[in-house]
Amino acid sequence: MTDDTPTFLPPAIVLVRPQMGENIGAAARGMLNFGLDHLRLVAPRDGWPNPAAGAMASGAGRVLDRAGVFEDTAGALADCTRVYATTARARGLTKRVVTPEQAMREAHAAALKGERAAILFGPERTGLENDDIARAEAIVSIPVNPDFASLNLSQAVNLLAYEWRRAADAPVAERLELAGAEPASGIELEKLADHWEERLETANFFFPPDKAAGMKLVLRNFLSRAGMTRSDVQMLHGVMRAMVRWKERG
């Protein structure tokens, strides 16, 4: 008799272009305090490994030792089925905005089903850019004092990690019935967006040229927030292929 219980996959904490090793180390320490140990780094400014991170981790060195390092955000999200962007601004993108508590409840529900969620944090000085946020299905908004909204990177990570710990002890209030389907992964969504961009570029959809970059960003943002399954992605690939074939026949 086989055990069909999915592997429990806690979320990945993804630090995008972090600048200070001390903040990486403090983030790792906070993660382990609340039961998280899956850290991913996207293009850390001072390279990796970073001695300053190890000094600040204070006993959480194992989190740093196992940290994954990626060249870009897309690579760091390739196996993730739910992505949340921690940012104070939507920057003109249409997104669902959730509290840290809600985000980690959803991440915990995903973990129970064997899915990996990712929580994105931007660099200390500038925060996440639109290209990063567009790959998320939702924005996490931390309710801070509007008169002093500046939050240190490691503090933000600690807040989300704390909510993860709370969510792990709470019942799941809502679930999505997928009817046997599996959620689309980051790499599947990335390839779908690339396919649509390529075909729409050929069809001169992105016009005028000075608006093309913004239109592509809106397209990618739409695809990432739709909450698609693998079968949804396959269908949309098929839709585009069918339209191309129909145009060629004409």
Side-chain angles (χ1 to χ4, degrees), residues 11-17 40-42 72-78 80 82-88 95 103-104 117-123 127-142 153 156-157 160 224:
I13 298 297
V14 183
L15 307 186
V16 180
R17 298 179 295 279
R40 299 183 181 185
L41 307 174
V42 177
D72 54 35
T73 304
L77 303 178
C80 299
R82 310 204 72 157
V83 180
Y84 301 85
T86 305
T87 178
K95 287 288 184 189
M104 296 318 262
I119 316 297
L120 298 178
F121 298 84
L128 293 168
E129 297 180 358
N130 272 9
D131 283 346
D132 306 310
I133 300 170
R135 290 178 164 82
E137 69 170 81
I139 285 172
V140 180
S141 178
I142 299 175
L153 171 60
V157 172
L160 269 292
S224 67

Side-chain angles (χ1 to χ4, degrees), residues 28 37 39 48-49 54 57 60-69:
D37 62 4
L39 177 63
W48 193 256
R62 65 181 184 179
V63 177
L64 301 179
D65 292 341
R66 294 203 295 256
V69 182

Side-chain angles (χ1 to χ4, degrees), residues 195 199 234 236-246:
H195 182 195
R199 295 303 185 184
Q234 292 167 358
L236 288 176
H237 276 300
V239 166
M240 183 56 72
R241 285 192 290 266
M243 292 175 68
V244 171
R245 287 195 297 269
W246 174 80

Side-chain angles (χ1 to χ4, degrees), residues 181-202:
E182 295 182 6
S185 67
I187 188 62
E188 289 167 332
L189 291 175
E190 195 75 18
K191 289 182 177 179
L192 177 64
D194 289 344
H195 182 195
W196 276 59
E197 277 190 18
E198 176 188 349
R199 295 303 185 184
L200 291 172
E201 188 87 60
T202 302

Side-chain angles (χ1 to χ4, degrees), residues 18 26-27 34 44 61 68 92 125 134 143 152 159 236 239 241:
F34 298 109
R125 297 185 71 181
N152 176 271
L159 282 168
L236 288 176
V239 166
R241 285 192 290 266

Side-chain angles (χ1 to χ4, degrees), residues 17-29:
R17 298 179 295 279
Q19 297 171 313
M20 298 179 62
E22 291 86 351
N23 280 334
I24 299 173
R29 182 176 180 178

